Amino acid sequence: MLHGVGVQSGLSFGAVRWMTPSIDFRELNIELPIHQEAKDLYDRSVGLVIDFLEKLSQNSAGNSKAIIEAQVQIAKDPALRKKVFASIDREIPLLDAIANASEDFKVLFVRLGGLYAERVSDLEDITNRISAMVVGLEPPGLPSSDRPYILAADDLAPADTATLDPKTVLAIVIAKGGPTCHAAIIARSLGIPTVVAVANLDKVTNGVAVLVDGDTGSIRVGVDEVEAAETISKGERFSIESIPFGPTHFSDQRLFQLLVNVGTKREIEEVISQSCDGVGLFRTEFLYLNRSNEPTVDEQKIYYGELFEKFEGKTVVVRTIDAGADKPLPFLGLAKEVNPALGVRGFRVATSRRDVIERQLEAIALAGADSGAKVSVMAPMISTVSETAQFVEMAKGHGIARVGVMVEVPAAVLCAEELLGVCDFVSIGTNDLAQYLFASDRESPQLARLNDPWNVALLRAIKMVSDAGLTMNKGVSVCGEAAADPFFAALLIGLGVSSISVGSASVGKLRSMIARCSREELQRVASFSTSLVNPVELKVFVQGEISRLLSR
Amino acid sequence: MLVKSVTVGSRVGLHARPATVLAESVQGEGVEIEIAKDGNDEFVDASSILMILTLGVSHGDSVTIRSEDATAEQLEKIAKLIESDLDAE
């Protein structure tokens, strides 16, 4: 039995398939043909990649089908082929010829910035696949399997997940990471049972059947199918059906505001406005990452406008740029720091590059004016009342009506009432708040247990902010990923938060949970829970109490 | 040589799906067609998605297409394609 930290609940049984690590095929020193034979080998390899992609595209639809079709075009691209062949004519070894051609286009795409820079990973993926075929090896990335499997990896990068299919991936087990790492956030958005920070995961080889429990974080090896089936059916007592659309109300019909988190281009395209009361967290970093220049006001306006248009008459809370020392952006021109998590990030960027945030607010205001959506903004990484006041002044200066701040820094918790005195609402980011409250790096596998949201210190902090909201009669939202767990969300509502924002894969379950409880019942559960100092005990208590309410 | 100037109709510009459709269609015609963004005289192979992407063409930009061996109908067909919103399909 292996142990990690469960970050997305659910039980799955299946065979493990490891993600193929990325390697430089040139280092393998494989003897490859030259001249015409090299060109023939290139064409054959491209053919194999296209066959593979076309098979993949038959099993996909919509957006992922379009992505694969674009990849087919990149694989058969005549200009790429011409560059490779020109290098072969100059007697450059085949793998170098492919790498150089890929590099030439990458440089051009990065220079164009924005959407084009995203194509770099597509191009890299394709040229890696071609090179893998040239040497006759499995290409790096997700395993190609037509049977469902349990994905094992050291870590997952955002790019790995573009082709991750929730129908074939039964569960995800990760050796590194913590509850708030990329892989965990992605797994929650897809609703796949996931365990991270698994010690000794490398002992489990390809093909071994395991039973993954995303609630307890255990991975059992050597379980037979019958036993697995029994365990899974028993585990279903904690499962909640989903109500995907419509308003969210308690059992006494009083309404609760349930919002979704939106970040990537794909999420902007796929989010359905009827599934929620609006967007509680629109992460804007994705427009800024992977590019060397700042997006223009016009470009930003179009990007934000696409989401706003879908939410006519509904709330959209836009979080201003949450990057800096932790996620460096070349055009900000910030110095490298020893402690990026404690450095110039989030709203702190305004100390040296206020102009960047001003331009972003201008674009948000312009896009909002055209759309009919109720657009609010909030700033990340706020520590003081004066930072809050500065941000409110900037945003209102652009004509944005509702302005709030994120509560992620313990100092902001302690001054929540005063913050709410100068702004319209606050939103708690549980991931960063846990990281700063427990002084433990959220990316560190060894510290994953400290970042467990079921820790009473975090709950008391959330309670303080909720109480401040009640006193000031202003909204307190939670937009951290921890709220995607319906049992944790129940606790949050019981503690007094006025709205919750989660990935769109989780809203259905949350709506269903809320529909079967009253706010008073959840308050009662929460009032007992803040005295339980052991996170496991607390989790078991809340799961038991809420399950009892749900099974009435 | 046939030359034609057109305005890009796709909302995302010649990117992602529109670039894919354009390259596919030019390949389907089996003739050599080149494309350039106006104000930039560098013509590139319109059957290459990568070359189309390198132009960085946005919605509303005008582009010029030209060909030595295409018929007027073939060039017109590609022009119509560029003018339509290829993302709307």
Side-chain angles (χ1 to χ4, degrees), chain A residues 66 69-70 73-74 76-80 82-83 105 108-109 112 115-116 118-119 123 265 269 302 306 309, chain B residues 11-17 19-20 23-24 27 45 47-58 87:
Chain A
E69 275 163 10
Q73 280 301 321
I74 295 173
K76 61 162 79 149
D77 194 274
L80 184 68
K82 209 181 275 174
K83 272 186 195 286
F105 280 109
L108 290 170
F109 291 163
L112 287 166
L115 290 168
Y116 295 92
E118 288 173 19
R119 294 285 80 78
L123 178 63
K265 182 86 176 110
E269 285 164 3
I302 293 169
E306 187 178 347
E309 269 177 31
Chain B
R11 289 186 37 168
V12 294
L14 288 182
H15 183 258
R17 179 150 179 78
T20 311
E24 260 170 15
Q27 287 162 23
D45 181 357
S47 73
S48 161
I49 182 173
L50 294 173
M51 294 310 293
I52 296 169
L53 291 175
T54 61
L55 295 176
V57 177
S58 310
D87 227 23

Side-chain angles (χ1 to χ4, degrees), chain A residues 136-160:
Chain A
L137 288 171
E138 180 93 354
L142 293 174
S144 51
S145 170
D146 39 16
R147 293 183 50 190
Y149 61 93
I150 288 175
L151 177 65
D154 257 357
D155 203 356
L156 283 183
D160 298 323

Side-chain angles (χ1 to χ4, degrees), chain A residues 274-355:
Chain A
Q274 291 84 353
S275 71
C276 56
D277 299 315
V279 176
L281 169 62
F282 180 18
R283 298 185 175 98
T284 55
E285 299 79 71
F286 293 91
L287 180 61
Y288 290 85
L289 296 175
N290 293 325
R291 57 188 293 161
S292 50
N293 57 346
E294 185 190 341
T296 63
V297 169
D298 263 346
E299 192 184 342
Q300 294 186 48
K301 187 185 146 199
I302 293 169
Y303 185 84
Y304 306 143
E306 187 178 347
L307 183 70
F308 294 171
E309 269 177 31
K310 291 178 111 174
F311 285 87
E312 205 184 326
K314 290 188 171 180
T315 297
V316 179
V317 181
V318 189
R319 181 175 69 187
T320 53
I321 185 164
D322 191 14
D326 58 329
K327 292 175 211 137
L329 299 176
F331 64 83
L332 290 177
L334 299 172
K336 222 175 142 90
E337 296 188 57
V338 186
N339 288 317
L342 301 178
V344 179
R345 54 168 293 203
F347 186 65
R348 296 169 180 189
V349 165
T351 54
S352 61
R353 291 302 308 269
R354 182 176 167 146
D355 58 312

Side-chain angles (χ1 to χ4, degrees), chain A residues 382-443:
Chain A
I382 291 287
S383 313
T384 64
V385 178
S386 68
E387 281 173 342
T388 309
Q390 188 196 357
F391 179 67
V392 171
E393 193 196 329
M394 285 166 72
K396 302 245 159 154
H398 289 280
I400 297 168
R402 242 178 118 249
V403 185
V405 296
M406 297 274 300
V407 173
E408 299 158 291
V409 180
V413 174
L414 298 173
C415 295
E417 228 175 273
E418 288 82 355
L419 297 189
L420 283 167
V422 295
C423 70
D424 301 309
F425 66 95
V426 295
S427 186
I428 304 171
T430 46
N431 295 343
D432 271 326
L433 181 56
Q435 156 165 282
Y436 296 124
L437 202 55
F438 300 112
S440 70
D441 187 340
R442 56 190 265 192
E443 301 291 340

